[in-house]
Amino acid sequence: MKVIREKPAVIQRPHNFCAGCSHGVFYRLIQECVEELGYSKRQIIAMGVGCNCNLTLSKIDTVDKFQCAHGRAAASATGIKRMRPDLLVMTYQGDGDCGVIGLGETLNAAYRNEKITVFTVNNLNFGMTGGQMSWTTLEGQKTATSVRGRDCAATGYPIHLPEIIAGQFRPAYAARCAVYDPKTVAQAKKYIRRALEAQINGEGYAIVELLGICPTNWGMSPVQAIEHLQKKALQEYPLGEFAGGEQAELAFLRQEAEK
Amino acid sequence: MQMAKKIMMKGNVAAAEAAIRGGAEFFAGYPITPSTETLETLSFRMPEEGRVFIQAENEIASINMVLGAAACGARAFTTSSGPGMALKQEGFSYAARMELPYVVMNVQRWGVGLGMLDSGQVDYLRDTRAGGNGDYRHIVYAPDSVQELVDDLYEAFDVSQKYRMGVLILSEGYLGQMMEAVELPPFKEIRRPDWGLDGTGEVGLKQLCPTYNMALAHELLPVRQERINRVCREMQRWESVETEDADYVLVAFGLPARVCVDAVRRLREEGCKVGLIRPKLVFPFPYDAFHRVNPNVRGFISVETNDLGQMVQDVALAAKRELPQRNVPVYCYTHSAGVPRVQDVVRYYRSVLDGAVKEVY
């Protein structure tokens, strides 16, 4: 039989995430893009603390990874990128790492327009510690620290990192994607590629948030979790590009045409 | 060889220049009195030399930037003072886990919390122990002059890479702020180590968490201990002033030590047999210095500019270890903020003789 699709060469072993978890697909898409762009042997990933640590622990690939302190990935990635501007430097974080404990580092790196690419998986809760409330947790969502459902008046409302960064700073690229069906997987790959190209072209900071599922901590089967994501999470977290990307390209082309 | 010209330089400015000449390729920091002149100087000197300078959003980010750069094999540097050093502790612990070398300078300010802008030696215990979580140490230099500050920083990057440990320069407010004549060393050639993240996934940190492996926790204990033991054997440095026949030996580092040199001279003129041990590094603490004092010494007096007495603990341990047969009393003169005057030290010495003050240990 003819092989029509191969995994990225750097990935050598299976991951050890829970069944249905979005991390595996998202990370594979990132490595597919990195390979297509010719950076497989010229990449460093600043790793957050949380479920994403499993990428390091399971030794799934041979990629240079730097284990950061919880929340500090954008700062460590800044140090790496400034020392090695020739390399592709990414962070790989969860929503707790990137948008709660590391909110300061994330926003400040975006503010400086560091030429790094931030990948963050938003699964609406703190996965590794057993499903506590995160800043991304939906209103009314039950977690280990919001057992009666999240009361946003008392705990804050769901945070929208790509929108905040696109709205307040001048990033090269900001987008949100998902990976629950072939269409969204294709879209996610397009976004990831654009975010990496923004760095390679020296345009500046890029962030891609993956709206993922966490069947284990949501107490659902993977299929139920995808249905929940489509019915509830997508209302709060729309997919799309918020800075750079297709709309910006069209606007640029329109401007050029008018000249 | 032509001698380099001596020039007047402020401690913090000289430190910046010495770091550059010592090969610092990367700096990230945040302004904080009384250390800021180093950051200011590096903000234009680093780019002039084609090196990296980042003004970070805070001290937590700066140390994490330093770790990122250090992981790529760079000679990375950061500075701070009291409250800022507190914020960096998390990063120090992570660096220890990965055995990353870096240099940090703490220009100490006196007090707790926000502290005061006066000089002091209040961070001794924190900086000679592990300030963050876990078992680790810094190699801690404690210069007493701007020239020694320059020499220490110049050497620090090599030492840090040799042992793959963080090096801490324990400066103090007045040392950073005062001007003295210094001779600047020549520029060092920057050498990259044979490890570091280079993007290929093939070189790596080599020693990434080699010894912090849960399955090998007990098996690798001697490896972890030997790292520190080697530093303790190789890096003890001190200056002794008339300790061979001294009845009482003062122990002081940094600026108070300079005062103690004068106090020894004055007391000697009066016929009092007093000496001084000045640790040039406070980790490793110079135990060997205590082995060479008068075996009939009647007491050690630690002179410190803090409130509760900190180095006195190490002085007591040194006295116990090097003079095990004798229970030599260890006193502590805690001057609090600033720098003591010679007469303060002399007065305290007299009250020790009078029995007006009691030993701490």
Side-chain angles (χ1 to χ4, degrees):
Chain A
M1 209 165 75
K2 196 179 156 206
V3 177
I4 54 163
R5 201 175 178 84
E6 283 188 5
K7 65 176 175 51
V10 290
I11 295 182
Q12 297 179 337
R13 285 161 58 158
H15 65 70
N16 59 359
F17 291 107
C18 305
C21 175
S22 312
H23 268 291
V25 180
F26 191 46
Y27 186 68
R28 176 183 169 138
L29 291 177
I30 292 171
Q31 285 306 336
E32 281 181 9
C33 292
V34 170
E35 190 171 86
E36 286 164 20
L37 291 165
Y39 276 83
S40 287
K41 291 282 175 190
R42 288 184 289 160
Q43 60 168 327
I44 298 179
I45 308 180
M47 299 296 297
V49 172
C51 284
N52 54 74
C53 287
N54 285 323
L55 284 180
T56 318
L57 298 173
S58 59
K59 298 191 171 74
I60 75 162
D61 60 21
T62 53
V63 173
D64 267 341
K65 297 199 193 72
F66 181 73
Q67 180 58 65
C68 304
H70 194 18
R72 320 298 178 215
S76 291
T78 297
I80 294 168
K81 183 68 182 180
R82 296 282 192 108
M83 269 326 290
R84 293 299 304 267
D86 55 318
L87 302 179
L88 193 57
V89 179
M90 299 158 269
T91 75
Y92 191 84
Q93 309 168 260
D95 52 287
D97 196 87
C98 187
V100 184
I101 194 170
L103 185 57
E105 282 75 11
T106 300
L107 293 188
N108 277 294
Y111 169 81
R112 290 190 305 268
N113 204 13
E114 291 292 341
K115 293 178 181 60
I116 59 171
T117 306
V118 169
F119 293 117
T120 172
V121 175
N122 169 7
N123 57 12
L124 313 181
N125 70 167
F126 279 84
M128 176 161 270
T129 45
Q132 292 77 26
M133 186 189 78
S134 166
W135 286 186
T136 55
T137 297
L138 301 175
E139 183 154 30
Q141 184 183 332
K142 286 181 180 169
T143 70
T145 52
S146 58
V147 291
R148 291 183 182 81
R150 185 177 189 188
D151 174 6
C152 286
T155 63
Y157 289 83
I159 193 166
H160 302 80
L161 269 185
E163 287 96 326
I164 290 173
I165 288 165
Q168 294 298 319
F169 310 124
R170 298 177 188 182
Y173 190 75
R176 180 180 297 108
C177 63
V179 289
Y180 57 79
D181 64 10
K183 185 171 164 242
T184 51
V185 167
Q187 183 193 42
K189 187 166 174 184
K190 196 165 67 181
Y191 291 177
I192 291 166
R193 194 183 163 106
R194 283 186 185 146
L196 293 173
E197 282 170 344
Q199 181 182 160
I200 292 167
N201 299 335
E203 291 164 38
Y205 181 94
I207 180 169
V208 177
E209 177 181 297
L210 168 81
L211 188 59
I213 58 169
C214 183
T216 303
N217 287 311
W218 293 0
M220 298 175 187
S221 72
V223 173
Q224 287 171 328
I226 286 173
E227 280 167 10
H228 178 72
L229 180 115
Q230 288 170 314
K231 276 188 204 141
K232 287 280 178 67
L234 281 176
Q235 315 304 314
E236 184 67 46
Y237 296 110
L239 308 183
E241 293 173 313
F242 309 105
E246 224 152 65
Q247 289 306 317
E249 262 170 49
L250 286 176
F252 176 76
L253 290 175
R254 227 174 279 128
Q255 230 174 23
E256 289 292 294
E258 278 168 19
K259 273 181 193 171
Chain B
M1 202 179 91
Q2 200 188 349
M3 286 294 283
K5 209 171 68 181
K6 280 205 171 190
I7 48 172
M8 286 293 284
M9 284 185 103
K10 195 174 189 175
N12 284 338
V13 176
E17 191 59 38
I20 289 175
R21 288 167 186 246
E25 299 170 88
F26 182 96
F27 177 90
Y30 183 84
I32 179 167
T33 311
S35 76
T36 311
E37 293 84 355
T38 307
L39 171 102
E40 288 177 348
T41 307
L42 290 170
S43 74
F44 62 89
R45 284 292 291 127
M46 290 293 268
E48 275 175 12
E49 298 296 332
R51 306 182 193 175
V52 182
F53 169 89
I54 305 178
Q55 180 172 336
E57 64 265 30
N58 59 36
E59 286 86 350
I60 299 174
S62 14
I63 186 62
N64 284 287
M65 289 174 186
V66 159
L67 300 195
C72 298
R75 296 181 162 216
F77 181 37
T78 184
T79 61
S80 197
S81 181
M85 283 297 289
L87 291 177
K88 287 187 197 288
Q89 300 303 322
E90 169 196 87
F92 298 156
S93 178
Y94 274 77
R97 179 176 183 265
M98 291 177 276
E99 298 178 5
L100 291 178
Y102 58 89
V103 178
V104 56
M105 179 169 71
N106 177 10
V107 188
Q108 293 172 94
R109 67 203 230 183
W110 180 83
V112 295
L114 184 58
M116 306 290 276
L117 300 182
D118 215 337
S119 204
Q121 298 178 321
V122 293
D123 297 336
Y124 178 92
L125 279 177
R126 205 258 329 266
D127 287 356
T128 55
R129 272 64 175 170
N133 55 302
D135 279 336
Y136 67 94
R137 293 288 188 276
H138 280 103
I139 293 167
V140 186
Y141 288 83
D144 76 338
S145 66
V146 178
Q147 184 65 59
E148 193 171 310
L149 178 64
V150 164
D151 298 343
D152 288 353
L153 263 161
Y154 189 65
E155 182 187 79
F157 294 93
D158 290 334
V159 168
S160 161
Q161 292 212 324
K162 177 180 173 187
Y163 297 102
R164 279 193 69 165
M165 269 176 75
V167 169
L168 194 150
I169 311 289
L170 192 61
S171 181
E172 48 198 290
Y174 290 171
L175 184 60
Q177 294 299 318
M178 72 190 199
M179 291 183 88
E180 282 190 303
V182 291
E183 194 183 311
L184 291 171
F187 281 81
K188 260 183 206 168
E189 197 186 324
I190 297 174
R191 277 182 311 229
R192 286 282 174 85
D194 62 357
W195 51 267
L197 302 177
D198 64 352
T200 63
E202 284 156 17
V203 184
L205 297 180
K206 278 192 178 165
Q207 302 182 47
L208 177 68
C209 321
T211 51
Y212 291 98
N213 180 329
M214 239 192 299
L216 300 172
H218 297 101
E219 210 176 318
L220 292 176
L221 173 63
V223 179
R224 295 194 298 271
Q225 288 175 332
E226 175 52 22
R227 273 164 65 77
I228 299 295
N229 291 344
R230 187 175 155 220
V231 170
C232 291
R233 283 195 305 273
E234 297 174 356
M235 290 298 292
Q236 288 188 45
R237 283 187 210 163
W238 69 92
E239 188 179 38
S240 287
V241 181
E242 306 203 49
T243 52
E244 298 80 2
D245 67 338
D247 290 331
Y248 285 90
V249 174
L250 306 174
V251 187
F253 69 96
L255 294 182
R258 287 169 74 160
V259 175
C260 288
V261 171
D262 287 346
V264 167
R265 192 175 303 138
R266 190 182 297 181
L267 287 166
R268 284 270 167 181
E269 279 166 11
E270 295 173 15
C272 305
K273 288 186 174 175
V274 177
L276 167 71
I277 292 172
R278 174 175 82 85
K280 294 174 111 175
L281 277 88
V282 284
F283 189 89
F285 193 76
Y287 282 103
D288 292 353
F290 290 73
H291 197 63
R292 304 174 194 195
V293 299
N294 174 9
N296 298 314
V297 64
R298 294 165 68 182
F300 293 101
I301 303 173
S302 183
V303 178
E304 312 177 30
T305 53
N306 50 45
D307 296 359
L308 303 176
Q310 300 193 14
M311 183 176 67
V312 64
Q313 296 184 6
D314 283 335
V315 175
L317 289 172
K320 179 175 165 58
R321 190 167 112 172
E322 301 303 324
L323 299 157
Q325 307 308 321
R326 300 191 47 224
N327 186 19
V328 184
V330 176
Y331 303 85
C332 188
Y333 173 52
T334 51
H335 180 74
S336 194
V339 173
R341 298 167 300 178
V342 174
Q343 66 202 66
D344 294 326
V345 178
V346 168
R347 193 182 304 128
Y348 186 84
Y349 164 75
R350 292 201 202 291
S351 50
V352 167
L353 288 191
D354 295 348
V357 292
K358 289 275 168 275
E359 68 267 26
V360 185
Y361 296 103

